[in-house]
Every structure is written in C-alpha cells, then in structure tokens.
Amino acid sequence: MTDPRIVDRAAQPYLFIVRRTPMSGLADLPAVHGRVFARLAELGLAPAGPPFWKYNEIDMPAELEVEVGVPTATELAGDGEIESGVLPAGRYATIGHTGHPDELMAVTGRLLDWAAAEGHRFDVTDDRWAARLEIYETDPAEQPDLSRWQHTLAFRLA
C-alpha cells in the first residue's frame, strides 16, 4: 500500500453504466465493464486509461450507486444504457494498493482516516460524492492472480 497523498487530476471523459446494488452485489459489477469495452470497440476506439468504479452514493446497509466506467480520449455520446460523462478536474486524495480487491475496504478506511487527520474535506453534497473512484490498474487477462492486482483510490476534495 502506498502512503496517501494529494494529486491534481485533469478532467477525464468516460463512458459508464450506472448500477444500484447492495454490497453483496458488487461482485457482479466487473461483468458490466465488458459492455462498456464492447461499446468502445464498436466505435473503433481504445480506452484512454484503466477501468474504474465511481461511487456516487454509499449506504452500506442498504445499497450503493456505482458508475462502472472506462475513460475515453474525448467526450462521446451515450447510447441508452451506456452514458457519457466527465470526471471533474481537481485535487484528489489518493492511495495505491496491490492485493485482492476484497482488501479495498480497509484501504478506503486508511484513506478516509488520513484525510480526516490532515483536515481535508471531500467533495460530497447531500451524501452524493462528486468523484470517489476505485481504479483497476491491472488487466485481469494479463494477471489472473487477484492478490497481485493494483488499484488506486482517488477521492475528490472539496
């Protein structure tokens, strides 16, 4: 795990599919990336970076609203289920992690605790996050061992 730090991120266009799911349904979300990648392939385009989940609303006992996204080089039109958006530019609290995705809840806790101790506030309005990203840096086709996957958490600051 890397130490938490603040980074400046540029605005990033992306395509995504929104899902509302309980925590127990998160295991079903990786398959959704395939539909977004397929849309890019139909357009003859390559992703502009690794896929991610953008957590918009988090109510652990009930459900989460998650955008299953893939960065694009330019803004594109959605096609119904697949929508288009732009991740906002700004300062983000980030932390890197190598390990099984099941470990990300503890990594998230470390980032949240660090930010609170440092006096940072996140960009959250009425329990809706502007950009709370879980970025999947590792291609599962190239590295099937989940314990070796690399992730970056990036949460936009207020």
Side-chain angles (χ1 to χ4, degrees):
M1 188 179 321
T2 64
D3 288 331
R5 63 189 180 107
I6 305 297
V7 300
D8 290 314
R9 292 177 55 100
Q12 175 66 65
Y14 67 109
L15 291 180
F16 65 95
I17 296 174
V18 176
R19 287 289 182 263
R20 293 194 75 83
T21 183
M23 283 291 294
S24 61
L26 289 177
D28 299 330
L29 294 184
V32 177
H33 273 126
R35 294 209 288 287
V36 181
F37 283 120
R39 176 67 179 143
L40 283 173
E42 288 170 10
L43 297 170
L45 301 172
F52 60 86
W53 294 355
K54 178 179 175 281
Y55 291 86
N56 295 328
E57 296 175 7
I58 301 170
D59 182 353
M60 301 287 243
E63 69 178 7
L64 313 161
E65 181 183 285
V66 181
E67 294 178 11
V68 179
V70 177
T72 58
T74 61
E75 289 186 53
L76 303 170
D79 73 347
E81 179 187 33
I82 297 175
E83 300 179 48
S84 177
V86 177
L87 296 172
R91 296 176 65 235
Y92 285 72
T94 67
I95 190 169
H97 172 259
T98 300
H100 197 286
D102 287 348
E103 299 167 359
L104 289 174
M105 190 174 294
V107 177
T108 298
R110 180 167 181 221
L111 182 59
L112 294 173
D113 290 346
W114 172 82
E118 294 292 317
H120 298 298
R121 291 183 312 109
F122 293 106
D123 190 353
V124 181
T125 304
D126 297 326
D127 295 328
R128 189 164 183 87
W129 291 74
R132 179 173 168 158
L133 306 174
E134 191 171 283
I135 304 166
Y136 292 87
E137 309 281 358
T138 303
D139 182 345
E142 295 177 11
Q143 178 51 262
D145 181 355
L146 277 71
S147 69
R148 297 180 66 193
W149 281 16
Q150 295 180 332
H151 314 92
T152 300
L153 304 182
F155 300 176
R156 188 168 192 267
L157 296 172

